[in-house]
Amino acid sequence: MNRIIDHPVLGKLDDRKKIPFTFEGKEYEALENETIAAALLANDVRTLRVHEESGTPRGFYCNIGHCMECRVNVNGQANVRACLTVVKENMVVEKGKQHPNIVKRMVENR
Amino acid sequence: MIDVIVIGAGPAGLAGAISCAENGLKVTVIDEFVRPGGRLLGQLHQEPSGEWWNGIKESEHLHNEAQKQSIDIRCGVSVYNLEKDEDAWNVHTNIGTLTAPYVLVATGAAEFPIPVPGWTLPGVMSVGAAQVMTNVHRVEVGKKGIIIGANILAFAILNELQLAGINVERIVLPEKSPLSKNAGEPEVVMKSLLNAAHLAPSPILRFGSSFMKNEGFRKLGMKFFPKSGVKVNGTPLQLRKAALEILGKDQVEGVLTADIDVNGNVIKGTEKVYEADFVCIAGGLYPLAELTAVAGCPFKYVPELGGHVPHHSEKMETPLEGLFVAGNITGIESGKIAMAQGTTAGISIAKHAGKGSTDINEKLEQAMKNVHTVRQNAAIQFNPEVANGRRKIYELWDVFYGKEQDTLQEIG
Ligand SMILES: Cc1cc2nc3c(=O)[nH]c(=O)nc-3n(C[C@H](O)[C@H](O)[C@H](O)COP(=O)(O)OP(=O)(O)OC[C@H]3O[C@@H](n4cnc5c(N)ncnc54)[C@H](O)[C@@H]3O)c2cc1C
Ligand code: FES
């Protein structure tokens, strides 16, 4: 998605430093003080994780820390809210992953 | 030593912190968002005077005031528990425990979700999420959107999306279900919109202006509500259409809708898919009061205030000693009112702490009066009966705690 550069009331988006980071091993750029969720959306990335059990995709929902839908791994730390976390230089961000559900798979394969 | 810990750096928390500090108390403010301002940050609407209420500017103003008072503001810190020792409150956060004799809980509001099938797809978000992405982060949420749910907040944010050049194609209702409740019933929605119509932030948002002004139409009500909808600031509001499912493989691709009767029942054979790359769900707001529950505060359900609120007085005290509340945690209202309540809470805390000058009682009375005045002049109001809701909770306070407080006052 694009950034909203010009706004009729809020004015022009100020020039901010670009901050490199990676998501799923790919390099992206955030603007200084931008959250992971905003930076990824600005780079057209909507899927922040997959559901631990079903593997279906999830993105941000509330964008203000209430719903926990946006949890990602940040520098190895799991379950970090992408909507509340500012991108730092060379941050390594990864999707929340599907967990092996051994019992379910056993039942399915019977 | 900290005298007061304020949880939440929204308009209520910041105003509260400032008035505490002005009265000589040492204050720390904690907020889990990336910058101070709370939900004020995303707000942008035109006042009746024509002036813009710019939440970013208002937040910066409050932040500057707080800095002048040397208030310690810590962003990016979450509070997850709150409990009392003999004489101090322990506020447990992700960076450790802070302790102070007084705590002001100003955690604001949260949005009710409406779980429409398909709502977990990336690209589906609460309408407030779209507000924050647009006005605070300045990132487009999509190119073509549909809002599910019709209420004042949805209209305010529709206007904000339009201002930023984001295309919202239509507003429809959620399908009637035990979870969507009244939000899926056209007649009920229509009634609440008509009741609240004059409370919308700007004339163009005053729902279906021409439609509404016509007394005849009003009486006929939903039966003759045009299929294509009435325009709210150019976007059709389709009260006779419901979203049955949000469609898409890896992200939102469209919404399956159907026509509905006046009671919200789906009319078979009228199903239609509209393309979209984002969907906003507008379920309305409720007070975010978990922390006061954890602390042991009793609650009362007051629908006019948006749900369950902690027992509190007009002076913003709770029944728990040293614990105060302000802002949307006490009931859903707009930012200016939250600010006025915050100021009241700050003075109230100073009074309890034996601080402030000899005229502290007058200041407190003045601050309480000011809350009423601001409420009367509010440009946006979420529930037309809010003043009644407020009265109920203060009456409850007088019944349960009135005597106690009076004796406290005599002593103090
Ligand atoms: C999504 C949304 C959109 C809104 N839009 C509008 C609008 O357009 N116009 C309008 O008039 N009103 C709007 N409101 C109503 C809004 O609640 C009030 O206008 C006003 O902002 C309330 O102020 P407050 O200080 O009580 O709470 P808030 O402004 O919500 O501030 C509360 C702060 O507390 C922080 N917090 C909460 N829990 C914790 C915790 N556990 N740990 C640390 N920090 C925490 C939050 O991060 C937040 O910054 C909106 C509310 C929401 C939820
Ligand atoms: S999107 Fe809800 S917590 Fe991040």
Side-chain angles (χ1 to χ4, degrees):
Chain A
M1 286 307 138
N2 295 323
R3 290 202 166 78
I4 300 162
I5 309 288
D6 292 300
H7 190 289
V9 185
L10 297 173
K12 210 170 156 62
L13 194 62
D14 38 299
D15 273 329
R16 280 187 283 168
K17 215 174 122 187
K18 297 196 171 64
I19 312 289
F21 71 105
T22 66
F23 179 66
E24 293 292 288
K26 210 176 143 201
E27 268 184 48
Y28 294 96
E29 267 180 356
L31 297 185
E32 197 170 19
N33 290 325
E34 199 163 52
T35 63
I36 298 172
L40 284 174
L41 184 63
N43 284 285
D44 281 319
V45 178
R46 285 198 192 268
T47 300
L48 300 175
R49 65 179 182 103
V50 296
H51 188 257
E52 287 82 350
E53 214 284 310
S54 66
T56 51
R58 296 288 191 275
F60 68 88
Y61 179 78
C62 73
N63 210 10
I64 52 169
H66 297 161
C67 73
M68 301 282 165
E69 278 295 283
C70 63
R71 45 192 193 269
V72 290
N73 293 352
V74 174
N75 298 334
Q77 164 84 46
N79 298 325
V80 175
R81 284 171 286 180
C83 70
L84 293 184
T85 309
V86 171
V87 176
K88 293 276 149 61
E89 199 143 333
N90 302 322
M91 203 178 230
V92 177
V93 185
E94 281 177 278
K95 274 185 192 168
K97 301 273 168 1
Q98 186 174 17
H99 293 172
N101 185 333
I102 300 163
V103 178
K104 190 171 179 197
R105 298 291 105 77
M106 269 162 51
V107 173
E108 277 171 0
N109 293 338
R110 245 164 34 133
Chain B
M1 261 296 283
I2 310 171
D3 297 315
V4 190
I5 298 167
V6 177
I7 308 174
L14 287 177
I18 293 165
S19 78
C20 282
E22 280 171 351
N23 285 293
L25 293 166
K26 200 166 172 331
V27 189
T28 293
V29 183
I30 304 169
D31 196 297
E32 61 181 354
F33 197 60
V34 295
R35 56 196 263 200
R39 305 295 80 86
L40 185 55
L41 287 166
Q43 297 177 19
L44 188 62
H45 61 251
Q46 219 164 358
E47 303 267 299
S49 64
E51 256 178 86
W52 284 91
W53 173 253
N54 178 339
I56 303 227
K57 285 236 173 81
E58 296 296 331
S59 302
E60 278 167 3
H61 178 71
L62 282 170
H63 188 194
N64 287 341
E65 285 298 303
Q67 279 176 322
K68 272 191 223 150
Q69 297 286 343
S70 310
I71 292 166
D72 176 20
I73 303 183
R74 302 194 198 168
C75 286
V77 178
S78 297
V79 177
Y80 61 84
N81 193 7
L82 186 60
E83 36 103 26
K84 191 157 193 205
D85 262 352
E86 265 133 57
D87 44 23
W89 285 94
N90 296 318
V91 177
H92 301 285
T93 79
N94 62 317
I95 56 159
T97 300
L98 298 175
T99 302
Y102 297 97
V103 171
L104 171 58
V105 189
T107 44
E111 290 188 78
F112 280 114
I114 307 176
V116 177
W119 77 312
T120 57
L121 279 169
V124 182
M125 64 197 80
S126 72
V127 77
Q131 175 183 58
V132 172
M133 216 34 118
T134 306
N135 294 343
V136 183
H137 300 315
R138 300 279 290 265
V139 178
E140 289 182 355
V141 284
K143 301 287 181 202
K144 194 174 185 179
I146 294 176
I147 297 178
I148 302 177
N151 52 43
I152 292 285
L153 188 61
F155 292 172
I157 296 175
L158 165 71
N159 193 28
E160 292 163 10
L161 289 166
Q162 290 168 332
L163 266 178
I166 313 278
N167 174 24
V168 180
E169 297 258 299
R170 60 194 75 245
I171 304 179
V172 300
L173 297 189
E175 186 182 0
K176 188 165 94 167
S177 79
L179 289 168
S180 67
K181 293 191 201 112
N182 289 344
E185 295 178 28
E187 229 156 30
V188 181
V189 173
M190 169 89 147
K191 220 171 131 200
S192 77
L193 289 179
L194 288 178
N195 281 338
H198 62 290
L199 306 172
S202 89
I204 34 172
L205 287 183
R206 280 172 206 157
F207 153 78
S209 41
S210 60
F211 179 74
M212 261 203 7
K213 274 190 203 118
N214 186 322
E215 192 65 30
F217 263 142
R218 266 206 242 185
K219 290 221 175 84
L220 290 171
M222 276 322 297
K223 260 209 185 100
F224 291 89
F225 192 84
K227 274 255 160 61
S228 56
V230 296
K231 297 253 167 99
V232 176
N233 201 17
T235 295
L237 166 67
Q238 298 181 295
L239 294 181
R240 292 289 301 275
K241 231 181 226 316
L244 308 185
E245 188 178 352
I246 301 165
L247 307 170
K249 193 172 161 283
D250 296 322
Q251 60 179 61
V252 174
E253 292 167 27
V255 177
L256 173 66
T257 67
D259 292 349
I260 49 178
D261 67 17
V262 292
N263 299 314
N265 303 307
V266 169
I267 301 168
K268 289 255 153 53
T270 59
E271 289 81 1
K272 195 169 166 144
V273 174
Y274 293 104
E275 267 181 36
D277 67 348
F278 76 96
V279 167
C280 296
I281 294 183
L285 300 171
Y286 68 90
L288 187 64
E290 277 92 342
L291 282 175
T292 48
V294 177
C297 217
F299 274 70
K300 166 88 179 158
Y301 179 68
V302 186
E304 297 91 334
L305 298 180
H308 290 89
V309 294
H311 287 187
H312 63 276
S313 69
E314 198 167 355
K315 296 177 181 143
M316 300 290 125
E317 308 143 299
T318 72
L320 306 180
E321 209 193 306
L323 191 72
F324 292 73
V325 285
N328 272 207
I329 188 175
T330 70
I332 304 306
E333 293 196 78
S334 57
K336 276 189 187 168
I337 300 168
M339 239 182 261
Q341 285 183 314
T343 303
T344 306
I347 298 172
S348 203
I349 293 171
K351 185 183 155 178
H352 276 255
K355 290 276 183 173
S357 42
T358 45
D359 61 352
I360 190 102
N361 283 321
E362 275 159 52
K363 276 194 191 158
L364 185 54
E365 287 298 324
Q366 197 53 47
M368 279 155 58
K369 271 204 198 112
N370 189 42
V371 175
H372 286 276
T373 314
V374 176
R375 180 171 298 128
Q376 269 159 12
N377 299 326
I380 180 169
Q381 196 56 275
F382 294 91
N383 190 311
E385 292 299 317
V386 69
N388 271 337
R390 293 287 177 202
R391 215 193 52 238
K392 277 190 199 168
I393 198 88
Y394 302 147
E395 278 172 10
L396 174 142
W397 178 271
D398 284 343
V399 170
F400 278 92
Y401 316 100
K403 276 216 186 82
E404 229 172 287
Q405 284 315 121
D406 288 346
T407 47
L408 267 183
Q409 257 171 17
E410 274 158 32
I411 299 165

